[in-house]
Amino acid sequence: DEVRERIQAKAGRRVFVAAISDSAVFPEWPAPGPPAGVLSFPQFDWIYRTANASASAPSACLALGLDWRCLQVATALPYITTPTFVVQSVADSWHIRDPNATVALKAIAARVRQEFSTVIRGPHAVVLDNCFRHCHNWGEVLLGGRSNADFFVRWYAARKEEWSRGPPPRAAGSPASAAVA
């Protein structure tokens, strides 16, 4: 939202901005940590503290004291009003040590799906696929005969049409997605 606001301030008017997140989902695992074979991604805490990444996290999320967790896509989305399209494989090389470890694959797939089961509302969308990949193959991944790029184009056009009608009402202090659900 901060980037969108800066663009609009520079332009001196409303500007349609949408975001896309490709392969940026790294679930947090409660203690005792991820299941065997699933990789942990503890760098968010380090990135937040050391690289001053707090400026890239939604301020409404940070205000709740969620700190580095606000860098996680599923944690941040409810506090973002800029339409965001997430493309994510349910398991990829950054999640799993061994792509043949079926227990680990099932565990990460279930956790990634869980991450989004409650946060995709309002202007946001997610396309989860079962291809073992990290990024790459944009437009080549098919779901029901349609590519992830096709889904994005349809979503983008719908969000732009909504934007052209003006901003939705938003209750003060509420998460963004609750206001546009």
Side-chain angles (χ1 to χ4, degrees):
D1 289 341
E2 286 79 6
V3 171
R4 178 185 41 79
E5 290 166 4
R6 287 181 186 169
I7 292 169
Q8 289 181 160
K10 198 76 159 162
R13 61 183 173 79
R14 283 180 69 230
V15 176
F16 178 70
V17 176
I20 188 165
S21 171
D22 186 0
S23 299
V25 176
F26 301 97
E28 179 181 5
W29 294 89
V38 176
L39 299 172
S40 177
F41 193 81
Q43 291 86 338
F44 283 124
D45 183 31
W46 181 88
I47 291 167
Y48 179 83
R49 287 182 292 105
T50 309
N52 193 25
S54 61
S56 64
S59 56
C61 183
L62 292 172
L64 294 174
L66 296 174
D67 302 323
W68 64 268
R69 288 172 182 83
C70 296
L71 298 177
Q72 294 176 303
V73 176
T75 301
L77 275 178
Y79 306 98
I80 297 172
T81 58
T82 302
T84 303
F85 187 87
V86 180
V87 179
Q88 179 70 41
S89 180
V90 292
D92 70 32
S93 60
W94 286 48
H95 292 138
I96 301 291
R97 283 190 181 94
D98 177 4
N100 297 312
T102 57
V103 172
L105 287 168
K106 287 179 182 179
I108 189 65
R111 186 71 179 97
V112 167
R113 286 184 182 102
Q114 179 187 5
E115 287 276 310
F116 291 104
S117 66
T118 61
V119 300
I120 296 297
R121 294 182 286 240
H124 309 308
V126 64
V127 171
L128 297 175
D129 64 66
N130 290 319
C131 300
F132 191 80
R133 62 175 181 79
H134 184 81
C135 300
H136 309 297
N137 305 102
W138 178 246
E140 297 172 18
V141 175
L142 300 178
L143 300 118
R146 290 193 136 136
S147 74
N148 51 10
D150 292 336
F151 283 104
F152 173 76
V153 168
R154 293 182 65 195
W155 170 85
Y156 181 89
R159 297 302 74 79
K160 190 165 185 182
E161 172 61 28
E162 289 171 0
W163 172 85
S164 70
R165 294 191 300 261
R170 183 174 176 193
S174 66
S177 61
V180 295

